[in-house]
Amino acid sequence: MRTVNPEQHEKKRRELLRAAQRRFAAEGVQASIASICAEAGVSPGHLYHYFSSKEAILEGLFQLVLDEAATHLSGDVQDARDLPALVADLYSGKGPSLLFDLLAESQRNAAIADRLRRHSAEMKQLLASAIARGQAAGVVDDTLPAAGLATMLLAVLDGSKAIRLRDPAVDRGRARETLIALVSRVLSPLGGRPGAGVGRQRA
């Protein structure tokens, strides 16, 4: 009886997910199993050993993103600069094609629409928890609810994926710096913001 090495199994599973992610980004969610197998350099039979269907691959990708986000946002927020940089890094390098294709497909596919909503809720919870830790540490504005801040930040971050579609010549590094500055200003405690208190002097 063949013994499965859990670590090797998970490593190969992630390699297949990365290959699928590249094909979905290039072709959309219509990418075929054959295309994914060609990208990964495996046979369909080998792929089906890890995933029972294309839907299972998509589910695996959603979970992979969530797992990476959880790892990225875990721990203490030690400095007011930590969270904005973490958020920017979480989204840097992620191409917009797959996100927008999934959004379009969700209008036709109820299962994908439901999974996207659950994914968004789970991402919101992860980010809200990180924001709440920053608020408890006194490095994030606590005058607004963490959940509300997380909702608006996710909207900004998802929208930022369209920047290179609108302007292919945009400098990615500079765009990241601007994103960090924007998130920093949104999250920083009011007293630490440039111009804070202007026009708000107490009588």
Side-chain angles (χ1 to χ4, degrees):
M1 183 176 179
R2 182 181 178 184
T3 301
V4 176
N5 183 310
E7 291 185 2
Q8 291 182 356
H9 182 89
E10 181 59 22
K11 180 182 178 182
K12 187 60 181 181
R13 184 177 177 277
R14 286 179 175 252
E15 289 175 359
L16 292 171
L17 285 174
R18 292 303 186 197
Q21 187 176 39
R22 293 191 295 271
R23 294 327 306 157
F24 286 142
E27 303 176 35
V29 293
Q30 293 79 21
S32 67
I33 290 293
S35 177
I36 294 170
C37 288
E39 179 73 27
V42 300
S43 68
H46 188 81
L47 183 139
Y48 284 126
H49 178 70
Y50 294 86
F51 301 98
S52 61
S53 64
K54 190 163 72 172
E55 289 71 22
I57 294 173
L58 279 170
E59 177 63 32
L61 278 174
F62 277 121
Q63 192 58 52
L64 180 63
V65 171
L66 286 171
D67 289 346
E68 290 178 345
T71 299
H72 202 67
L73 293 174
S74 64
D76 296 328
V77 179
Q78 301 291 346
D79 187 275
R81 294 168 296 181
D82 288 353
L83 188 54
L86 286 172
V87 170
D89 288 342
L90 188 65
Y91 276 73
S92 66
K94 304 290 193 302
S97 303
L98 181 55
L99 170 65
F100 295 153
D101 196 68
L102 284 169
L103 288 171
E105 185 65 21
S106 71
Q107 302 302 304
R108 304 180 289 269
N109 187 317
I112 287 182
D114 178 68
R115 190 61 185 90
L116 269 177
R117 283 191 290 268
R118 288 188 287 121
H119 179 79
S120 295
E122 291 161 340
M123 285 294 294
K124 174 185 170 182
Q125 182 57 50
L126 285 172
L127 186 53
S129 295
I131 290 172
R133 291 196 300 274
Q135 290 174 327
V139 297
V140 173
D141 182 8
D142 63 359
T143 64
L144 294 172
L149 284 170
T151 297
M152 295 311 297
L153 276 179
L154 287 174
V156 169
L157 293 165
D158 283 345
S160 72
K161 291 178 179 290
I163 292 175
R164 298 195 72 196
L165 293 178
R166 296 175 184 274
D167 181 7
V170 71
D171 182 89
R172 181 176 294 182
R174 186 158 296 179
R176 178 181 178 277
E177 291 175 2
T178 302
L179 179 60
I180 291 176
L182 175 64
V183 177
S184 295
R185 293 183 185 187
V186 170
L187 295 180
S188 295
L190 187 60
R193 295 178 190 167
V198 175
R200 297 183 54 174
Q201 291 88 349
R202 296 181 181 179

